[in-house]
Amino acid sequence: MSPEQVVVIGASGFGRECLDVLEAMAEAGSPVDVAGVVDDGPSELNLGRLAARGVAYLGTVDDWLVASEPMARYVLGIGRPQVRRRVAVRLDEAGARPFTAVHPSATFGSRVATGEGLVVCAGAAISTNARLGRHVHINPNATIGHDSVLRDFVSVNPGAVVSGEVIIRGGTLVGASATILQGLSVGEGTIVGAGSVVTRDVPDAAVVKGVPGQWDRT
Ligand SMILES: CC(C)(COP(=O)(O)OP(=O)(O)OC[C@H]1O[C@@H](n2cnc3c(N)ncnc32)[C@H](O)[C@@H]1OP(=O)(O)O)[C@@H](O)C(=O)NCCC(=O)NCCS
């Protein structure tokens, strides 16, 4: 089987972490090949970082959509959920196809459901019966508890703990080392601050900080 050509959208930190995931998959024997990186405005620093690791910069999203024939699949290497969602809408309209990237060291329980474009980084653990939507990002060493539901474009940053039976609505970011206690729900477009502990249900568009987590009520 010839390897699947995959581009990463985004030359910044998370984009290059996605390259690590894809390269580890290839090393472990998955039929995947990194075709290069696409970015609408990469910095000189990040272009240098790509060149140093021998990865081609393929131009802007529009350049890639015009040039790619047949089209490679893509991974969204963009950490911020709202930006990721905007780019995904453009790519969906153009008929581009997402790729699911899972680091070989990540672990999965039974009956986990995954959406297109999921990225799971090294050391992450997804427990039984979890459901992860489209373009969800699970960063290194984050854990997702049993029966939890993460809707589209959720990001879980490094080391965060999502306990069992939690629901996280679309476009929410769970900060590094935050914890969400079991059975709670977190609204859409919310940010759970790094290190915060969520002990109550959180509404949409909140910014949660501290232990126990607090947010402004409007
Ligand atoms: C919660 C967060 C979104 C707040 O961002 P912000 O609104 O720009 O906050 P600011 O940096 O302006 O800080 C405002 C206040 O909140 C406090 N604060 C910021 N983040 C906090 C956090 N995670 N927990 C507790 N307090 C926090 C600051 O100390 C400051 O307090 P002060 O007003 O008493 O001085 C952000 O700090 C955060 O934690 N984001 C997650 C980032 C992450 O996971 N990074 C790792 C990437 S790998």
Side-chain angles (χ1 to χ4, degrees):
M1 182 161 58
S2 58
E4 185 93 60
Q5 298 292 309
V6 179
V7 303
V8 172
I9 314 277
S12 297
F14 193 70
R16 285 175 289 103
E17 290 183 328
C18 289
L19 291 173
D20 290 348
V21 174
L22 294 168
E23 288 167 2
M25 290 173 74
E27 260 173 47
S30 294
V32 55
D33 196 22
V34 174
V37 168
V38 169
D39 192 309
D40 281 348
S43 66
E44 287 302 321
L45 181 59
N46 286 333
L47 287 174
R49 286 167 167 158
L50 291 180
R53 65 192 288 169
V55 173
Y57 169 60
L58 304 175
T60 65
V61 171
D62 286 338
D63 293 338
W64 174 62
L65 289 173
V66 170
S68 181
E69 187 63 55
M71 200 181 275
R73 295 173 76 183
Y74 74 90
V75 165
L76 285 175
I78 299 170
R80 286 166 60 196
Q82 272 62 31
V83 180
R84 189 152 87 243
R85 193 198 298 264
R86 274 203 302 276
V87 176
V89 167
R90 269 168 82 191
L91 293 166
D92 282 349
E93 283 169 4
R97 295 176 307 142
F99 182 80
T100 293
V102 176
H103 194 282
S105 68
T107 60
F108 280 67
S110 59
R111 305 186 60 78
V112 171
T114 59
E116 292 180 308
L118 172 70
V119 178
V120 181
C121 296
I126 319 291
S127 188
T128 183
N129 210 37
R131 280 183 281 156
L132 310 179
R134 291 186 86 221
H135 299 295
V136 163
H137 285 179
I138 311 295
N139 276 268
N141 299 321
T143 63
I144 309 300
H146 62 87
D147 306 297
S148 284
V149 178
L150 277 55
R151 304 269 188 230
D152 298 350
F153 301 102
V154 164
S155 287
V156 182
N157 277 355
V161 175
V162 175
S163 304
E165 309 216 25
V166 163
I167 297 176
I168 305 181
R169 301 196 200 286
T172 280
L173 181 141
V174 181
S177 295
T179 297
I180 303 175
L181 295 183
Q182 64 280 0
L184 297 177
S185 72
V186 179
E188 183 160 340
T190 277
I191 300 177
V192 176
S196 301
V197 177
V198 173
T199 60
R200 295 170 291 149
D201 291 343
V202 181
D204 294 347
V207 177
V208 180
K209 297 175 193 172
V211 181
Q214 308 284 345
W215 57 91
D216 290 338
R217 292 155 202 275
T218 48

